[in-house]
Amino acid sequence: MTQLIYELDIKALTNLLKEWNEPAYRAKQIWQGLYQHLYDSPEQFTNIPKSLREQLAEHVTFLPFTVKIYQDSSDGFTRKTLFELPDKNLIEAVLMRYGDPADNPQITAAAPHSENLRGAKNRRTLCISTQAGCAMGCVFCATGQMGFKRHLSSGEIVAQVMYYARMLKDVNESVTNIVLMGMGEPFHNYDNTMAAIDRLNDADGYNFGARRFTISTVGLVPQIRRFADERRQVNLAISLHAADDESRVSMLPINKKYKIADVIDACRYYVAQTHRRITFEWALINGVNDSPEVAKKLASRLKGLMCHVNAIPLNPTTGYAGIATDRQRAILFKEVLEQAGIPCTIRMRRGIDIQAGCGQLAGSVVS
Ligand code: SAH
Ligand code: SF4
């Protein structure tokens, strides 16, 4: 039986090497090889003895998936990869490159309305999956439409990052931000998700700052509270999408269990515990949740909360008839919120031509 090396934290790696009668400092050498040099095969570890490289080759693997498809958006700034796991489940991860339009006419031409690109110099944001499929069944979401397959292990989550980290290293770049907004509900797979973040955060390893991660959740209240108690520096985003229960439950079935008021209470608790600003995500759907009245209701719900609303026009999916709000109406929505003192950004749709919305590529392959 071989084991995925990214499943191991430094302690487990040290124990494994102890079993092989190797000194503890070898664990550190391998850890650095994995997370600082981004090695992905035993031969690359030239600083350890050949016998140990052979042990690695025999007992551990470095790649838990194969690349089924990859696609680049027509503007060349988004790369989406669909990975196939050994059990044939599919997961996806998307890299989004941002530059400063002032410096880069190519970006301005490709995305003329992308006000939120300004000042975002050379960001390399990676969006990764935490589950194959998702159990939450949000009606407009391609992942929700395919149902739950299984949780990803911590190593499978880490491996998505390492895959892209190596790709960027080849062109002298690196990942600058990681968002857990791919397939799956990270708080439904809490322990593996946090273990993956901790592994990537390790100062002697990949050293990816906690504040550069963003977890997005559909609003699992007990986990929001647990996350608040752990006082992590990781950013938190909540998928709200509606300002009253009736509307929210028609889009997000989980709202039967956790009502908006309870979600927002948990968010207030989070801000009180961490003193960190929280983000609310809002997929703007024409005629469903994009009116000035809804914006007013939302603003009154969020009153006094240190927060920010990220509104993004709906990405079309085959299983849902709703369509995206147009730009004018989106701006009106933003203005109503801002007049009520709630900051709002309209995110542009990235990589829409490569189905870079959550779960969309996997969905199209499965069907
Ligand atoms: N399960 C988590 C994270 C993955 S989904 C969550 O739901 O938050 C990441 C974000 O994409 C969520 O805000 C989700 O509501 C949103 N999303 C899903 N499908 C979408 C679509 N078709 N158009 C726009 N946003 C969508
Ligand atoms: Fe799951 Fe998030 Fe999609 Fe809802 S939006 S089905 S929680 S991945």
Side-chain angles (χ1 to χ4, degrees):
M1 252 304 266
T2 55
Q3 185 180 25
L4 176 61
I5 197 153
Y6 300 119
E7 302 293 0
L8 308 174
D9 59 17
I10 184 73
K11 200 163 149 226
L13 184 62
T14 309
N15 287 342
L16 180 69
L17 288 165
K18 206 188 263 170
E19 275 172 37
W20 294 352
N21 292 319
E22 294 285 346
Y25 70 87
R26 292 282 181 223
K28 204 156 191 182
Q29 286 178 311
I30 293 174
W31 192 254
Q32 286 171 350
L34 283 174
Y35 292 107
Q36 292 178 7
H37 305 297
L38 310 183
Y39 296 157
D40 63 347
S41 72
E43 313 86 74
Q44 291 176 300
F45 292 80
T46 49
N47 56 343
I48 61 172
K50 187 156 179 278
S51 58
L52 182 53
R53 294 203 293 268
E54 284 165 359
Q55 281 275 60
L56 286 177
E58 193 179 335
H59 297 288
V60 301
T61 57
F62 292 77
L63 206 64
F65 36 57
T66 55
V67 174
K68 178 104 177 161
I69 307 175
Y70 72 84
Q71 285 182 349
D72 291 323
S73 60
S74 48
D75 61 18
F77 287 97
T78 303
R79 157 76 58 106
K80 175 155 193 158
T81 309
L82 185 67
F83 299 111
E84 186 174 75
L85 297 160
D87 59 9
K88 301 287 175 202
N89 277 311
L90 301 171
I91 56 167
E92 47 196 50
V94 184
L95 175 71
M96 290 158 282
R97 300 162 194 255
Y98 300 83
D100 192 322
D103 301 344
N104 194 332
Q106 214 182 342
I107 295 185
T108 319
H113 303 307
S114 50
E115 56 266 63
N116 53 330
L117 278 184
R118 245 161 251 144
K121 237 180 193 167
N122 297 326
R123 237 166 49 206
R124 301 287 176 262
T125 299
L126 181 57
C127 174
I128 58 173
S129 296
T130 56
Q131 299 176 318
C134 182
M136 302 298 143
C138 306
V139 295
F140 52 70
C141 170
T143 309
Q145 289 158 14
M146 79 181 67
F148 180 68
K149 309 293 181 193
R150 70 167 170 87
H151 294 302
L152 297 186
S153 66
S154 59
E156 289 168 333
I157 299 171
V158 169
Q160 296 167 60
V161 176
M162 291 298 116
Y163 173 85
Y164 275 104
R166 281 192 289 272
M167 180 187 295
L168 285 173
K169 193 176 187 215
D170 288 344
V171 291
N172 284 321
E173 291 184 5
S174 52
V175 180
T176 63
N177 300 78
I178 297 175
V179 298
L180 291 92
M181 295 188 187
M183 292 172 77
E185 167 50 44
F187 278 178
H188 183 209
N189 188 16
Y190 194 95
D191 291 338
N192 291 344
T193 298
M194 296 309 157
I197 289 176
D198 289 341
R199 212 159 296 149
L200 292 163
N201 182 223
D202 185 281
D204 298 321
Y206 192 55
N207 196 21
F208 199 85
R211 287 162 183 252
R212 294 193 284 143
F213 287 96
T214 300
I215 291 190
S216 172
T217 176
V218 71
L220 304 185
V221 167
Q223 286 89 328
I224 295 172
R225 291 182 173 272
R226 175 176 171 190
F227 187 72
D229 287 333
E230 291 173 359
R231 291 198 167 79
R232 291 172 176 273
Q233 299 290 300
V234 171
N235 301 302
L236 183 61
I238 308 284
S239 299
L240 204 56
H241 306 306
D244 65 71
D245 286 319
E246 195 188 339
S247 165
R248 193 165 189 264
V249 87
S250 71
M251 292 185 266
L252 281 55
I254 193 68
N255 196 80
K256 275 185 226 127
K257 190 164 179 187
Y258 302 118
K259 303 275 181 275
I260 297 185
D262 300 332
V263 172
I264 295 192
D265 274 354
C267 292
R268 290 191 192 277
Y269 181 72
Y270 169 83
V271 173
Q273 291 292 88
T274 63
H275 309 290
R276 296 183 68 77
R277 187 175 75 154
I278 200 160
T279 298
F280 291 100
E281 287 160 282
W282 197 277
L284 284 164
I285 310 171
N286 185 49
V288 174
N289 63 355
D290 63 347
S291 69
E293 294 70 43
V294 173
K296 272 188 206 133
K297 204 184 268 181
L298 173 61
S300 72
R301 288 258 188 203
L302 302 183
K303 202 166 181 232
L305 183 58
M306 188 164 62
C307 70
H308 178 265
V309 173
N310 245 339
I312 177 166
L314 182 81
N315 250 311
T317 57
T318 49
Y320 181 67
I323 58 167
T325 297
D326 66 36
R327 181 172 168 75
Q328 224 177 341
R329 211 167 148 82
I331 289 173
L332 183 61
F333 188 86
K334 170 187 159 88
E335 281 171 358
V336 173
L337 279 180
E338 293 196 327
Q339 270 158 22
I342 309 291
C344 174
T345 312
I346 301 170
R347 271 157 64 200
M348 58 157 209
R349 298 189 280 174
R350 291 199 61 107
I352 199 157
D353 60 327
I354 56 162
Q355 300 176 301
C358 170
Q360 287 185 296
L361 187 59
S364 66
V365 166
V366 169
S367 62

